[in-house]
């Protein structure tokens, strides 16, 4: 598929630029056309392929090469079952042949620093954030690699709704927490592309600019609503707010953001080795 078509699909809008001179690489086409997959074939992923996918994670950039993340490869069927039983509607994720859990990990370098005879004086919010960024980039690197060879994936932040249980099941020590799971498998569905905010909303030229924001969002809502309105079953908090007159993106995210989510998370982190100073 041509870049112009891929871009038009991503924004539900033609872009008046000539992309024809740009080399069409597999990876770029794969990134531009990506969509999450939530249904997988019962077909294994070889040890060799898994090794490559994990190496892709580790090839991501890492703040000062501190490598402050770890990856849990969940293989034991009993552990899969335990997580699956706890995760409600997200059970399908544990049917993927590979389920990874990306961990922000400030623990390993604390141990290394102490072992070398130094005091570790960076258990702070900056290190917390760097570890989360490292883990997220590692996950994204595997997402790109997996999708470029035809695998389907879906990140799973639902894992943080059961963070205490995951800690116990997977024996996570202090200074380590799951940022997200990642289900990986051969796709058994053709999901729809998710239309993104237009570039003039998300990118800013030299200076941050909110001019006409709400008008631009209204236009985006209209485009998405025309192609892919949010059905009742995917609308947030209809118990509180009722069914939306129009299932638009902005209505849905506003409903979602009006109710606090995971409000115990900071306390959990503080109890589990992250000082967040
Ligand atoms: C950090 C993160 C956590 C996510 N957690 C979940 C999840 O728990 N369950 C789920 O179904 N999708 C989850 N997703 C997938 C998003 O819902 C999805 O990326 C988004 O709706 C856009 O769709 P697309 O990936 O097909 O473009 C997550 C995505 C990210 C980046």
């Amino acid at each position: 598929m041509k870049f112009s078509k891929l871009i038009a699909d991503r924004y539900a809008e033609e872009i008046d630029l000539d992309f024809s001179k740009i080399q069409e690489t597999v990876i770029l086409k794969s990134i531009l056309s990506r969509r999450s997959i939530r249904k997988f074939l019962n077909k294994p992923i070889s040890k060799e392929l898994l090794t490559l996918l994990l190496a892709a994670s580790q090839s991501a950039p890492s703040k000062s090469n501190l490598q402050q993340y770890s990856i849990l490869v969940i293989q034991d069927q009993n552990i899969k079952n335990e997580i699956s039983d706890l995760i409600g509607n997200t059970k399908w994720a544990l049917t993927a042949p590979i389920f990874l859990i990306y961990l922000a990990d400030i623990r390993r370098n604390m141990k290394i620093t102490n072992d070398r005879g130094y005091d570790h004086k960076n258990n702070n919010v900056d290190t917390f954030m760097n570890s989360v960024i490292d883990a997220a980039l590692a996950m994204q690197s595997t997402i790109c690699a997996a999708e470029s060879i035809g695998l389907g994936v879906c990140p799973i932040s639902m894992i943080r709704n059961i963070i205490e249980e995951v800690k116990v099941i997977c024996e996570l020590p202090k200074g380590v927490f799951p940022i997200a799971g990642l289900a990986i498998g051969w796709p058994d569905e053709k999901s729809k592309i998710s239309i993104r905010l237009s570039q003039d909303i998300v990118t800013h030229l030299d200076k941050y600019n909110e001019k006409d924001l709400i008008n631009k969002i209204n236009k985006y809502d209209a485009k998405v609503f025309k192609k892919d309105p949010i059905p009742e079953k995917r609308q947030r908090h209809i118990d509180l707010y009722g069914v939306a007159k129009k299932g638009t993106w902005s209505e849905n995210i506003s409903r979602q953001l009006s109710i606090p989510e995971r409000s115990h998370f900071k306390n959990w982190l503080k109890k589990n080795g992250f000082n967040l100073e």
Side-chain angles (χ1 to χ4, degrees):
M1 207 184 280
K2 299 275 166 221
F3 284 144
S4 50
K5 168 83 174 107
L6 295 172
I7 291 277
D9 287 350
R10 180 57 74 199
Y11 297 114
E13 192 175 325
E14 305 281 336
I15 305 278
D16 188 19
L17 288 172
D18 177 11
F19 300 102
S20 62
K21 292 197 179 66
I22 299 174
Q23 193 192 347
E24 290 182 1
T25 63
V26 169
I27 187 89
L28 188 46
K29 285 164 103 176
S30 162
I31 289 171
L32 291 173
S33 60
R34 70 155 304 281
R35 67 276 313 266
S36 289
I37 294 293
R38 296 181 175 82
K39 197 161 179 256
F40 303 98
L41 295 172
N42 184 14
K43 178 177 161 190
I45 288 176
S46 68
K47 192 165 177 358
E48 290 76 10
L49 183 47
L50 174 60
T51 303
L52 285 178
L53 294 175
L54 294 171
S57 275
Q58 289 193 265
S59 304
S62 158
K63 161 76 175 62
S64 301
N65 202 19
L66 288 169
Q67 306 181 59
Q68 298 181 107
Y69 64 95
S70 290
I71 307 166
L72 274 172
V73 182
I74 305 294
Q75 275 182 334
D76 183 316
Q77 194 54 47
N78 292 327
I79 294 186
K80 279 189 168 178
N81 292 345
E82 274 185 84
I83 297 176
S84 176
D85 287 346
L86 291 163
I87 210 167
N89 290 340
T90 313
K91 272 182 188 313
W92 53 265
L94 277 301
T95 66
I98 291 182
F99 191 73
L100 304 177
I101 301 181
Y102 282 81
L103 307 168
D105 183 345
I106 66 169
R107 179 186 183 85
R108 186 168 53 232
N109 289 355
M110 286 174 126
K111 292 194 93 166
I112 295 168
T113 305
N114 292 337
D115 181 65
R116 301 287 303 172
Y118 295 94
D119 285 340
H120 183 285
K121 294 187 181 162
N122 278 283
N123 186 349
N124 53 31
V125 82
D126 190 53
T127 300
F128 164 77
M129 196 176 72
N130 288 330
S131 67
V132 173
I133 295 172
D134 270 12
L137 291 178
M139 181 169 79
Q140 178 60 15
S141 198
T142 284
I143 291 174
C144 289
E147 290 174 338
S148 74
I149 57 162
L151 286 161
V153 313
C154 188
I156 303 293
S157 61
M158 268 299 288
I159 211 80
R160 267 183 278 127
N161 290 24
I162 52 163
I163 197 165
E164 184 60 26
E165 292 88 341
V166 170
K167 178 182 109 177
V168 174
I169 295 169
C170 300
E171 299 181 2
L172 302 184
K174 286 195 163 45
V176 171
F177 87 95
I179 65 150
L182 186 66
I184 308 180
W186 302 102
D188 192 19
E189 66 172 354
K190 194 146 176 46
S191 54
K192 284 188 200 154
I193 200 153
S194 167
I195 302 160
R196 293 293 199 255
L197 293 168
S198 55
Q199 286 196 0
D200 66 346
I201 298 174
V202 172
T203 63
H204 306 255
L205 205 52
D206 298 320
K207 295 185 180 183
Y208 196 92
N209 178 4
E210 291 174 319
K211 198 163 168 276
D212 288 335
L213 174 65
I214 299 301
N215 280 338
K216 289 175 187 170
I217 295 293
N218 289 341
K219 268 198 202 158
Y220 170 70
D221 272 343
K223 271 191 314 189
V224 179
F225 186 76
K226 197 168 157 205
K227 265 205 137 160
D228 193 14
I230 297 176
E232 192 177 321
K233 69 174 186 326
R234 277 184 35 228
Q235 289 180 16
R236 305 280 175 159
H237 305 305
I238 42 176
D239 47 334
L240 274 178
Y241 300 122
V243 178
K245 276 198 205 105
K246 252 186 149 184
T248 61
W249 176 83
S250 65
E251 175 65 20
N252 218 33
I253 64 140
S254 302
R255 287 174 170 217
Q256 177 174 358
L257 296 174
S258 71
I259 306 293
E261 287 181 0
R262 302 191 184 109
S263 49
H264 302 300
F265 184 45
K266 185 173 165 194
N267 284 343
W268 187 94
L269 286 171
K270 288 195 142 203
K271 271 195 210 143
N272 286 281
F274 291 86
N275 291 348
L276 305 179
E277 278 154 7

